[in-house]
Amino acid sequence: MQNTYQNRQWFYVKRPDGRVSNDHYELRESELDGSLATNEVILRARFISVDPYIRIQQHERNTYDVPHPLGIVQRAGVVGEVVASASPLYQVGDWVSAYSGWQLYARCHHSELTRLDPSAAPVSTALGVLGMPGRTAWFGLTEAGRPRPGDTLLVSGAAGAVGSLVAQFGKRAGCRVIGIAGGAEKCKFLTETLKLDGAIDYRAHKTHEALSAAVQNATGGVDIYFDNVGGPITDAVIPLIKRRARIIICGAISQYDGGLDTPDLGPRFLQHMLFQRATIQGILARDYVNRMDEMLAVVAPWVKSGEIVFQETYVDGFEQLPDALNSLFEGKNIGKLLVRV
Amino acid sequence: MQNTYQNRQWFYVKRPDGRVSNDHYELRESELDGSLATNEVILRARFISVDPYIRIQQHERNTYDVPHPLGIVQRAGVVGEVVASASPLYQVGDWVSAYSGWQLYARCHHSELTRLDPSAAPVSTALGVLGMPGRTAWFGLTEAGRPRPGDTLLVSGAAGAVGSLVAQFGKRAGCRVIGIAGGAEKCKFLTETLKLDGAIDYRAHKTHEALSAAVQNATGGVDIYFDNVGGPITDAVIPLIKRRARIIICGAISQYDGGLDTPDLGPRFLQHMLFQRATIQGILARDYVNRMDEMLAVVAPWVKSGEIVFQETYVDGFEQLPDALNSLFEGKNIGKLLVRV
């Protein structure tokens, strides 16, 4: 067993006003002492997650969480290998997931780890379809969306990590599913790879009226709107909801450039809730952590059998982490974005 | 039995762009033929209802209903007396409620009538606490609001027909209840007559920030927000919701001057739904028509025993109907506004 590990860590050091970037992080190198107390292990990260929620936690005000502290390693989900163990539960070479953040090595108590079975599914799926994004999609759609066969389900951010799963879960629930995404390539992914019933390229519709007309044409009215983006796209959708529509607020990525701290203006829409006796519900993955086994019991077999597309986009290199996070807000990725380290 | 009745009718003849007024109505006099087919009665109106929802139905676009047609008598709830009957169910002198609109006399099939018992409660309550507004308040609060003892319930339009009942039902459910209303007189009504735990005079707070601070001071955060007004008041409240808050959209009277057709702008707020995993639900009285007996079984005894304050404001004179409707949007009335004819 080696005594030290040459560690690399991204420290979160400055709160962003608008878009987060390299300016808000510092890359630091240090030696991690490899001596272990009982039940500790050394985890070597292999896949590190970048997720839009990270930007929410960077705000100065309390959101769904207290603000992410400054001067510590950026928190994030990680998949990696055990490289040293003083735990009876883990051996060197075991694959695990943990919430150990943007660092190559971490000393962890074994209670912080979740064991992964590489023969059951690619280990990276623990950060995607079989992890937090999958849980968000599954419970957000089934619990808050309450899909029925024949419902028209509209998903914004439909080519993203959560949206692409919501869309497919909706198809399996018998819904007619239309996705909204930015650009022709993503729309092709939605109709050809995910086999959705329609796709709307919001970038092809320059005005509110044009986008709203496109949504109306594609959907004929919306029973379930699963919203990952907020802002002008949501403005265009809400007047098109049908009687007893369910609107699920999963994210508002269009507002993550500072719009959460100093909200911009949009058209008032609460009258449509009244007219249609509709419901808006905000959902968060953490509320369903204790029901993870329910989701895995259904979705893991679909992953194993290949019935679900779980697109992953990789960025290579530990030093790329802040740029990879930033790129989420450019809308460049399809599916789950992971940094391989 | 007389053969004709000298009728007076308010016809709805022109769609308003902004505030509805006398300009949108015509008062017409005519003779109503008093001859009756089997099961018909002549109803003489005594109390005619003016309600904010009337303004919604006047919009050109479909709202929760198709637009109220032009060139017909304004639809509305009425309480009156049977003055002629060819029905085995009703005798001259019986009190009934019906949806016969803004006219002194109406020929009705007896299936259109609901019998009232003047010894059980003042008949006017069939248009208020024991009618549509009561049903709205009861089911809106209990079904969508799901009050729990200890919850902080905030009611906008709290001195109005629906709001004043929601506030009292909330007290009985063990909530801490704060009302928002316009002016010192209404606020005194809320704290002294309705015995609420607090009242906020929104007119005393000129800026968004001042109103929001007043709401925060009075509530300490909101578990249930029962919204009758929308607009800037609701803007000030939403950032103050607590975890798993329930927001009930019952009305948006601040927007009934044309703001439903051409919505104005307000701060985006859907991120708060996410942060707090909150719910917004639009409710409408008509969805609970078939459960009226459930409400009456609980609330009618409270009315009889005097345990519930059901404030009514009267305007006298059939010719006052359009002005009375208009006055709702001035916020002049306390409790249920009725026109005595």
Side-chain angles (χ1 to χ4, degrees):
Chain A
M1 190 190 294
Q2 72 190 89
N3 282 331
T4 63
Y5 298 86
Q6 195 58 39
N7 209 0
R8 307 184 78 192
Q9 301 174 303
W10 275 110
F11 277 71
Y12 171 55
V13 296
K14 186 181 166 193
R15 296 203 183 282
D17 284 328
R19 179 75 64 82
V20 62
S21 72
N22 256 306
D23 296 344
H24 308 100
Y25 289 97
E26 274 178 29
L27 180 58
R28 298 184 191 166
E29 313 224 338
S30 61
E31 295 206 328
L32 176 65
D33 179 358
S35 49
L36 294 174
T38 305
N39 295 330
E40 286 185 339
V41 309
I42 300 290
L43 170 64
R44 170 56 161 89
R46 293 298 174 189
F47 298 94
I48 297 181
S49 195
V50 288
D51 298 279
Y53 79 81
I54 288 177
R55 181 64 187 83
I56 296 181
Q57 295 180 338
Q58 291 174 331
H59 284 271
E60 217 156 5
R61 60 161 283 171
N62 287 355
T63 54
Y64 57 83
D65 221 339
V66 296
H68 192 298
L70 288 170
I72 66 168
V73 171
Q74 173 64 52
R75 294 167 175 164
V78 165
V79 161
E81 287 173 278
V82 172
V83 293
S85 178
S87 160
L89 302 179
Y90 292 97
Q91 297 188 309
V92 170
D94 282 350
W95 284 93
V96 296
S97 67
Y99 198 64
S100 53
W102 289 7
Q103 55 189 344
L104 278 185
Y105 291 95
R107 183 193 294 107
C108 301
H109 188 271
H110 66 187
S111 62
E112 300 169 62
L113 307 177
T114 301
R115 178 184 300 281
L116 303 177
D117 176 1
S119 70
V123 290
S124 59
T125 57
L127 298 172
V129 59
L130 300 181
M132 181 276 287
R135 185 170 73 237
T136 307
W138 180 255
F139 290 105
L141 180 66
T142 59
E143 296 284 313
R146 304 187 304 279
R148 304 169 302 187
D151 276 344
T152 295
L153 164 63
L154 179 67
V155 184
S156 67
V162 172
S164 61
L165 297 173
V166 169
Q168 294 178 86
F169 296 155
K171 286 298 293 177
R172 299 180 87 84
C175 297
R176 190 168 146 262
V177 182
I178 313 291
I180 304 178
E185 186 198 0
K186 285 184 180 176
C187 287
K188 192 174 163 195
F189 171 74
L190 296 182
T191 52
E192 296 190 6
T193 306
L194 300 189
K195 314 285 188 202
L196 303 192
D197 300 286
I200 300 161
D201 176 4
Y202 71 85
R203 292 182 183 164
H205 304 282
K206 296 300 179 195
T207 66
H208 174 87
E209 290 72 19
L211 180 57
S212 199
V215 174
Q216 177 64 30
N217 286 342
T219 62
V222 175
D223 295 295
I224 308 174
Y225 175 45
F226 195 104
D227 187 18
N228 293 298
V229 305
I233 291 173
T234 297
D235 296 343
V237 170
I238 286 182
L240 306 177
I241 56 172
K242 291 165 75 178
R243 185 70 52 81
R244 304 199 191 284
R246 287 82 72 197
I247 297 174
I248 302 107
I249 306 298
C250 173
I253 198 168
S254 74
Q255 307 297 300
Y256 292 0
D257 286 7
L260 302 186
D261 276 337
T262 49
D264 60 355
L265 299 179
R268 297 188 192 282
F269 61 77
L270 288 175
Q271 71 273 18
H272 295 289
M273 300 298 112
L274 182 62
F275 299 162
Q276 302 301 342
R277 289 84 103 192
T279 306
I280 298 176
Q281 186 176 341
I283 58 114
L284 216 57
R286 63 175 60 182
D287 289 338
Y288 301 102
V289 166
N290 65 335
R291 299 177 61 184
M292 195 67 188
D293 57 342
E294 292 177 41
M295 185 275 271
L296 291 175
V298 180
V299 178
W302 291 343
V303 169
K304 198 172 174 84
S305 66
E307 291 172 271
I308 285 274
V309 175
F310 53 99
Q311 188 82 20
E312 296 177 341
T313 301
Y314 303 104
V315 170
D316 284 301
F318 183 81
E319 65 284 0
Q320 298 300 320
L321 273 162
D323 282 343
L325 176 62
N326 184 286
S327 78
L328 289 172
F329 307 104
E330 303 283 352
K332 287 180 183 161
N333 58 301
I334 291 187
K336 174 63 189 162
L337 187 62
L338 292 170
V339 177
R340 275 191 293 220
V341 298
Chain B
M1 192 191 293
Q2 71 189 87
N3 283 329
T4 62
Y5 297 86
Q6 195 58 39
N7 209 0
R8 306 184 80 192
Q9 302 174 303
W10 275 109
F11 278 71
Y12 172 55
V13 296
K14 186 182 166 192
R15 296 203 183 282
D17 283 329
R19 181 75 64 82
V20 62
S21 74
N22 257 305
D23 296 345
H24 308 100
Y25 289 98
E26 273 178 28
L27 180 58
R28 297 185 192 165
E29 312 225 338
S30 62
E31 296 207 327
L32 175 65
D33 178 0
S35 50
L36 294 174
T38 305
N39 296 330
E40 287 186 339
V41 309
I42 300 289
L43 171 63
R44 169 59 161 87
R46 293 297 174 191
F47 298 95
I48 298 181
S49 195
V50 288
D51 298 280
Y53 78 81
I54 289 177
R55 181 63 187 82
I56 296 181
Q57 295 179 338
Q58 292 173 329
H59 283 271
E60 218 156 2
R61 60 160 284 171
N62 287 356
T63 52
Y64 58 82
D65 220 339
V66 295
H68 192 298
L70 289 170
I72 67 169
V73 171
Q74 173 63 53
R75 294 167 174 164
V78 166
V79 161
E81 287 174 277
V82 173
V83 293
S85 177
S87 160
L89 303 179
Y90 292 98
Q91 296 187 310
V92 170
D94 283 351
W95 285 92
V96 297
S97 67
Y99 198 65
S100 53
W102 288 7
Q103 53 189 345
L104 278 186
Y105 291 95
R107 184 193 292 109
C108 301
H109 189 270
H110 65 188
S111 63
E112 300 170 62
L113 307 177
T114 301
R115 179 185 300 281
L116 302 177
D117 176 1
S119 71
V123 291
S124 59
T125 57
L127 298 172
V129 59
L130 300 181
M132 182 275 286
R135 186 171 71 238
T136 307
W138 180 256
F139 290 105
L141 181 65
T142 58
E143 296 282 314
R146 304 189 303 281
R148 303 169 302 188
D151 276 344
T152 295
L153 164 64
L154 179 67
V155 184
S156 67
V162 172
S164 60
L165 298 172
V166 170
Q168 294 178 86
F169 296 155
K171 285 299 292 178
R172 299 180 87 84
C175 297
R176 190 167 147 263
V177 182
I178 313 291
I180 304 178
E185 187 198 357
K186 285 184 181 177
C187 287
K188 193 174 163 195
F189 170 75
L190 296 182
T191 52
E192 296 190 4
T193 306
L194 301 189
K195 314 286 187 200
L196 304 193
D197 300 286
I200 300 161
D201 176 4
Y202 70 87
R203 291 182 184 164
H205 304 282
K206 296 301 178 194
T207 65
H208 174 87
E209 290 71 20
L211 181 56
S212 198
V215 174
Q216 177 64 29
N217 287 342
T219 62
V222 176
D223 294 297
I224 307 175
Y225 175 46
F226 195 104
D227 186 17
N228 293 298
V229 305
I233 292 173
T234 297
D235 296 343
V237 171
I238 286 183
L240 307 176
I241 55 173
K242 291 166 74 178
R243 186 71 51 83
R244 303 200 191 282
R246 288 81 73 197
I247 298 173
I248 301 107
I249 306 299
C250 174
I253 199 169
S254 73
Q255 306 298 301
Y256 293 0
D257 285 7
L260 302 185
D261 276 337
T262 46
D264 59 356
L265 299 179
R268 296 188 192 282
F269 60 77
L270 288 175
Q271 71 273 19
H272 296 289
M273 300 298 112
L274 181 64
F275 300 161
Q276 302 301 343
R277 289 85 102 190
T279 306
I280 299 176
Q281 184 175 344
I283 58 113
L284 216 57
R286 63 175 60 183
D287 289 338
Y288 301 102
V289 165
N290 65 335
R291 299 177 61 183
M292 196 68 187
D293 57 341
E294 292 177 41
M295 185 276 271
L296 291 174
V298 181
V299 178
W302 291 343
V303 170
K304 198 172 172 85
S305 67
E307 291 171 271
I308 284 275
V309 175
F310 53 99
Q311 188 82 20
E312 295 177 341
T313 301
Y314 303 103
V315 171
D316 285 303
F318 184 81
E319 65 284 358
Q320 299 299 321
L321 274 161
D323 282 343
L325 176 62
N326 184 286
S327 78
L328 290 173
F329 308 104
E330 303 284 351
K332 287 179 182 162
N333 58 301
I334 291 187
K336 172 64 189 163
L337 187 62
L338 292 169
V339 177
R340 275 192 294 222
V341 298

